[in-house]
Amino acid sequence: MGELETLQGIASVLEVSCPFEFQDVLIKELAIDSRKVVLPAQSLFFAIKGDRHDGHNFIPQLYENGVRAFVVKVDYLAPGQLDDAFFIRTESPLAALQIVAASKRAQFNYPLIAITGSNGKTIVKEWLYQLLDPSYNIIRSPKSYNSQVGVPLSVWKMNYDNDLAIIEAGISMPGEMVKLERIIRPTIGIFTNLGQAHDENFTDSNQKAREKLDLFQNVETLIYCKDYLIIQEELEQYPFASNPKLFAWSRRSASDLQIGRVEKKDGSTEIQGIYQHNFIKIRIPFSDEASIENAIHCWAALLLLGLDNETIATRMEQLAPVAMRLELKQGVNNCSVINDSYNSDLQSISIALDFLQQQHQHPIRTLILSDILQTGRPDEELYAEVAQIIKDKKVDRLIGIGKHISGQAALFAAETEFFHSTADFLSAYSHDWFYNETILLKGARSFGFEAINSILQHKTHHTVLEIDLGAMVHNLNLIRSLLKPNTKLMAMVKAFGYGSGSFEIANVLQFHHVGYLAVAYADEGIELRKAGISLPIMVISPEEQSFDAMIQYGLEPEIFSVRSLQLLENAIARKGTLDSPLKIHIKLNTGMNRLGFAERELNQLIVRVKNNKQLHVASVFSHLAASENPEEDDFTRKQIALFEKMSSELTAHFQYSITRHICNSFGIIRFPEAQFDMVRLGIGLYGVAPESPVTNRLRNVSTLRTTITQLHELRDGDTIGYGRIEKVVGEMRSATLPIGYADGLNRKNGNRQGYVVINGHRAPIVGNVCMDMCMVDVTGVPCKEGDDVVVFGTELPITEFAKNSETIPYEVLTSVSSRVKRVYYQE
């Protein structure tokens, strides 16, 4: 342990004094997210202020959870109850974090490989780890920790047990890479490629290439592909501080590693090359172009490090896919299963446990964990730290698999069971072992946890709706960036979360500090409460029989008419005096003419609500009828003006603040002047928005996938499906897919009106769509039975699919039936 790992050492680096009683406090963890602190007594929290959140606001909560050391802005006023906390005051906590990490990096002189580029950074990093792990003790960035905060958190993990570091770095703005270079100080660089990501923040691709090259200004060697002409052009002009060796590879011109024949066959690829005048080759178990490029970058790095090609070739054949995401799926016996069974180290365990901790839909959190391999640490020390992490993350049940973790069973306080191998677990497994639990699988590859995942998953047919939670969070933050600083956000999770799952989506939104949730009916809100959702929840369509339950579960009804107000007052009368006034949301009719009080009814409404001390108006709102349609903008502005008038009249009669909101997803983007106090975000969360500068920055969230069940070779005169509508002319190859109108595939897509995407090719849907199946024309499409099929998603946007279905994206999403398994994943 170095001096820097104490508060005294860190304070010294930041040029502040440290009181005697704090000088020897050991710091193992640098933290920036109050929700992800693993070892509170040994954590230093940096209170970073972002666009929407300020870390200083979470200090009391962190103190309550056991954190005592904080880096704050100089003007931060600490609450009085934090007397025994230590505050390092600085102009910029973010800059302080980077300074501390840079000082930590300076302690070590072993090689550090830094990777940047528009695509492939994380894959190259993880593959280098797989390929070099037998030869080195490696520290690497966890997942995609490549930002201004992710890089310092990664570098902090470097220690004297390692002899190689692999760190990835990404930027989105000019000037960022210089800061990262000061932290990382790489000895070897890899520039993967140059693509279009973040183009909007740079004047052109050349500027972006120069900015990325800043990472390598002091490297000893830089690996890159000469075929990216802009990279080559900028390299020739870049003013390196060092005089680095440039290690180039190319498919087109003479290079250090000259790539020759590339032959794909049966899902694998043989890559031939010439290096130092010798013919060499490797084979990788992948055939896509991105994997081929990533593998060549790794090949160049291994050759540079001096590995012989025979060893390289053996390891390349064993490359495993990189799990870029945590998947949440429905499991047996009302369980949810999170599958992260591809690697097992302390960094990835903490990340996976953060995801587990977000899940509140089941009362029990279970971790199935394998031995943690090749750390170089004594078992007792290693598993003592694991036990503490598990305790801090509130895991209820641990199943340990492996001889090493089993040997340290006494260290774990949770309910535990241990098995020496995966085979032992599978032999002992009984179907009733798990019930109503969230189960996290976290295992090193060699333990083959895929077999455990298989038996724990709920068995359904091959059609699934994938929900990318990371993309949803991206969209949430993008919309937040459009809001004024004090504008709150209500997220709509009605209709089973737009078909994506209510509590799964609500968990993510709660974790990311959305202010309010909204559901259509009380039953939806009650299920969220039972799943552990504590956010305020507005019920848009309260029914007469539901008011009693809404009061019981702390749900907040929309009141839209005199009758709905009377029904609520009757329910309150049955309950008697409430512990606190019930919050209500008053709906005004400004032109939608669906629900809401008319202007002439305002006086009566105000009098009744003011006279009922058991009611509290939380918000007043209205609904835009055509905010997506430019041709109706005059009407939309009339609605906004009428809402301003009516809501101002209502709020003026109350002595407390009442939140006002009218904008939906389209309104947020097209009418920023109408944000009022809060906005309601619905379909925009899923990446659907009107044409605007924002549209292309939103990410697709939902992907409906299926597979090819059977292929048919058809002849002239054959017919397909019910009614024999599709008649074959000449020859045709058709594929049958296990998805039909009972799954949510609208029948209007049949008879060549709609299509799916198979291996990058569009295949029209032929004949009538059946209840459980449909058929597509795959003539000329390279495919086989079992291949993946995209019904809608990034390759076929939901807006286009909805147009083919003669409907709107809302209906498409909410029509995906409950028998289609939802798979949630997070990068």
Side-chain angles (χ1 to χ4, degrees), residues 261-279:
R261 186 174 180 180
V262 176
E263 184 176 357
K264 303 177 183 181
K265 186 177 181 181
D266 298 330
S268 66
T269 305
E270 182 179 277
I271 308 170
Q272 300 176 358
I274 297 174
Y275 176 65
Q276 295 182 344
H277 307 294
N278 294 316
F279 172 79

Side-chain angles (χ1 to χ4, degrees), residues 429-579:
Y429 172 77
S430 172
H431 183 73
D432 59 1
W433 270 15
F434 303 97
Y435 179 75
N436 202 18
E437 305 174 37
T438 307
I439 305 166
L440 169 62
L441 299 179
K442 196 78 184 79
R445 256 192 350 266
S446 58
F447 280 82
F449 272 20
E450 295 86 354
I452 300 177
N453 183 51
S454 179
I455 64 170
L456 292 180
Q457 274 193 45
H458 181 67
K459 303 301 187 291
T460 58
H461 71 147
H462 292 295
T463 299
V464 300
L465 182 67
E466 293 183 344
I467 296 99
D468 183 345
L469 300 178
M472 178 173 287
V473 172
H474 166 85
N475 295 341
L476 171 65
N477 289 332
L478 179 59
I479 296 298
R480 275 176 163 163
S481 73
L482 306 177
L483 304 182
K484 298 167 187 172
N486 296 321
T487 303
K488 295 178 285 189
L489 191 145
M490 174 185 284
M492 315 301 286
V493 291
K494 60 181 181 175
F496 191 48
Y498 287 74
S500 298
S502 297
F503 61 73
E504 294 89 352
I505 302 305
N507 268 332
V508 174
L509 297 172
Q510 178 167 277
F511 186 77
H512 288 277
H513 302 297
V514 165
Y516 250 97
L517 298 179
V519 297
Y521 296 102
D523 288 349
E524 296 174 322
I526 291 169
E527 287 304 310
L528 293 181
R529 287 283 183 254
K530 289 180 178 179
I533 300 301
S534 57
L535 284 174
I537 300 174
M538 179 176 81
V539 179
I540 296 172
S541 303
E543 297 172 309
E544 179 177 352
Q545 65 273 21
S546 68
F547 281 116
D548 294 281
M550 292 178 63
I551 295 170
Q552 178 184 347
Y553 284 94
L555 306 176
E556 304 174 14
E558 169 189 316
I559 299 301
F560 52 85
S561 67
V562 173
R563 180 174 180 271
S564 66
L565 178 58
Q566 182 64 59
L567 292 172
L568 175 60
E569 289 175 334
N570 294 344
I572 292 174
R574 290 193 296 271
K575 287 282 184 182
T577 303
L578 303 179
D579 294 335

Side-chain angles (χ1 to χ4, degrees), residues 529-631:
R529 287 283 183 254
K530 289 180 178 179
I533 300 301
S534 57
L535 284 174
I537 300 174
M538 179 176 81
V539 179
I540 296 172
S541 303
E543 297 172 309
E544 179 177 352
Q545 65 273 21
S546 68
F547 281 116
D548 294 281
M550 292 178 63
I551 295 170
Q552 178 184 347
Y553 284 94
L555 306 176
E556 304 174 14
E558 169 189 316
I559 299 301
F560 52 85
S561 67
V562 173
R563 180 174 180 271
S564 66
L565 178 58
Q566 182 64 59
L567 292 172
L568 175 60
E569 289 175 334
N570 294 344
I572 292 174
R574 290 193 296 271
K575 287 282 184 182
T577 303
L578 303 179
D579 294 335
S580 59
L582 180 67
K583 292 182 178 180
I584 62 172
H585 300 262
I586 294 176
K587 177 75 169 287
L588 304 179
N589 181 11
T590 58
M592 178 84 166
N593 294 317
R594 186 173 63 179
L595 294 174
F597 288 93
E599 190 172 8
R600 65 181 178 277
E601 298 175 298
L602 274 185
N603 287 336
Q604 179 187 1
L605 169 67
I606 292 167
V607 170
R608 286 191 63 164
V609 174
K610 284 193 70 174
N611 288 337
N612 191 331
K613 302 305 179 187
Q614 301 224 68
L615 297 178
H616 177 96
V617 182
S619 82
V620 55
F621 71 105
S622 190
H623 201 97
L624 296 175
S627 58
E628 76 284 357
N629 187 354
E631 294 180 3

Side-chain angles (χ1 to χ4, degrees), residues 94-258:
L94 173 58
L97 172 68
Q98 295 174 342
I99 290 168
V100 170
S103 297
K104 181 70 175 286
R105 165 67 181 101
Q107 294 180 347
F108 309 102
N109 58 13
Y110 48 76
L112 190 154
I113 302 173
I115 307 165
T116 196
S118 297
N119 299 294
K121 296 184 292 293
T122 302
I123 299 293
V124 170
K125 178 199 68 187
E126 292 297 325
W127 277 1
L128 282 175
Y129 176 77
Q130 291 181 29
L131 294 163
L132 292 169
D133 186 50
S135 305
Y136 293 89
N137 188 337
I138 302 171
I139 178 70
R140 73 194 192 282
S141 306
K143 298 291 182 180
S144 298
Y145 275 37
N146 58 29
S147 66
Q148 296 292 303
V149 293
V151 166
L153 294 179
S154 300
V155 168
W156 176 258
K157 298 294 184 181
M158 294 176 69
N159 63 64
Y160 290 101
D161 294 328
N162 305 122
D163 51 16
L164 177 67
I166 309 174
I167 304 292
E168 64 173 290
I171 59 170
S172 58
M173 300 285 291
E176 291 182 336
M177 194 63 89
V178 171
K179 298 176 183 177
L180 297 185
E181 192 277 337
R182 292 173 190 149
I183 302 168
I184 302 170
R185 289 288 173 172
T187 56
I188 300 170
I190 300 178
F191 197 152
T192 59
N193 51 47
L194 194 67
Q196 296 178 344
H198 305 297
D199 272 357
E200 67 275 10
N201 297 328
F202 298 90
T203 55
D204 55 27
S205 295
N206 288 76
Q207 185 203 17
K208 185 163 67 173
R210 289 193 298 273
E211 293 285 338
K212 289 181 180 293
L213 282 170
D214 284 342
L215 178 60
F216 308 123
Q217 57 186 281
N218 291 291
V219 295
E220 297 170 8
T221 308
L222 174 57
I223 297 167
Y224 72 103
C225 175
K226 285 175 66 175
D227 300 339
Y228 289 97
L229 299 181
I230 292 177
I231 295 177
Q232 179 66 37
E233 176 186 337
E234 293 301 328
L235 265 174
E236 292 170 357
Q237 306 174 60
Y238 188 81
F240 289 99
S242 59
N243 185 24
K245 168 182 167 56
L246 299 181
F247 188 115
W249 67 266
S250 174
R251 296 188 186 190
R252 302 173 186 167
S253 59
S255 304
D256 297 274
L257 175 60
Q258 175 67 54

